[in-house]
Amino acid sequence: MDTDTDVKIRPADPTDAAGLLALQATLDRESRYMLLEPGERGTELPDPSYRLICFDGEPVGYVDVSVLPYARARGTGYVVMGVRSSHAGRGLGRALLEAAIARAHDRGLRRLELTVMTHNRAALGLYLRCGFRIEGLRRAALHIDGTDIDEYYMGRLLRPTGTVPGSAVRDSRNLSATPGHVRASARDTSSADGTADGPAHTVKASVLRSGPIIKV
Ligand SMILES: CC(C)(COP(=O)(O)OP(=O)(O)OC[C@H]1O[C@@H](n2cnc3c(N)ncnc32)[C@H](O)[C@@H]1OP(=O)(O)O)[C@@H](O)C(=O)NCCC(=O)NCCS
């Protein structure tokens, strides 16, 4: 991609490890929205199923997609991403996420999912813009500076799902949102049509924060 003349996105390789660790440490310091606090990351670089990296001379953004190795979960990728504040608002986050979605299609994944703090407006806007839907609420999932923080579960289907009839949760709160305006509505989601762009399901999402993963 060429959002800016000198900015490139490509798959990461082992030679990127030091640059990526430095990028993640920077993001942990400058953003209130990453999972880890400054200093918690250590020297181990997570090894996702695939990773794309955005360069402007040095790494300025990345997206990781991780897939569990178990047969029943192999179609789902968990997304983690970040763009340096110096490069935010220039379309890099969107370019990274769209590239990750394209690769997920190529690798035969059926679904991408992630979690995001409910007050992270930029990330929420990006994910909605890229076709993710809010599927659930993780109440008080995180505790930051003495405050409980809610997170949304978000998901994006990549192809028709063939959902088992009745697997959507009846009478549960179905959350939907648009950038800058988040709303919650009580709606029965059991009539979801199982297509990639069909109604949002309120089902329990799996979260791949840690544990074994496979290369896809
Ligand atoms: C969230 C993040 C990845 C967005 O990346 P970015 O490069 O700034 O985003 P882009 O410029 O590509 O914007 C893409 C879309 O996101 C949305 N968006 C971006 N910034 C926004 C903001 N401040 N408020 C609302 N929506 C915003 C818009 O919908 C935008 O599309 P549009 O410009 O066509 O309307 C980046 O800000 C970031 O890494 N933040 C810190 C770490 C973080 O929050 N990571 C995600 C944790 S879940």
Side-chain angles (χ1 to χ4, degrees), residues 27 31 33-34 81-84 87-95 114-117 120-127 129 179-180:
L27 287 167
S31 171
Y33 300 122
M34 300 301 280
M81 68 180 297
V83 172
R84 283 198 61 167
H87 287 67
R90 290 161 54 175
L92 302 185
R94 187 169 172 188
L114 54 84
T115 56
V116 57
M117 296 178 203
N120 187 351
R121 312 298 299 192
L124 193 51
L126 167 65
Y127 301 142
R129 167 72 84 190

Side-chain angles (χ1 to χ4, degrees), residues 104-158:
H105 275 290
D106 292 347
R107 287 164 160 70
L109 296 184
R110 293 179 302 103
R111 168 186 164 86
L112 290 176
E113 65 185 20
L114 54 84
T115 56
V116 57
M117 296 178 203
T118 54
H119 62 298
N120 187 351
R121 312 298 299 192
L124 193 51
L126 167 65
Y127 301 142
L128 290 166
R129 167 72 84 190
C130 289
F132 284 75
R133 292 175 178 217
I134 294 174
E135 298 177 325
L137 184 66
R138 303 181 72 223
R139 293 173 300 162
L142 304 174
H143 197 71
I144 303 177
D145 296 334
T147 304
D148 286 335
I149 302 291
D150 294 345
E151 284 193 318
Y152 289 128
Y153 275 120
M154 298 188 77
R156 187 189 194 286
L157 299 184
L158 303 171

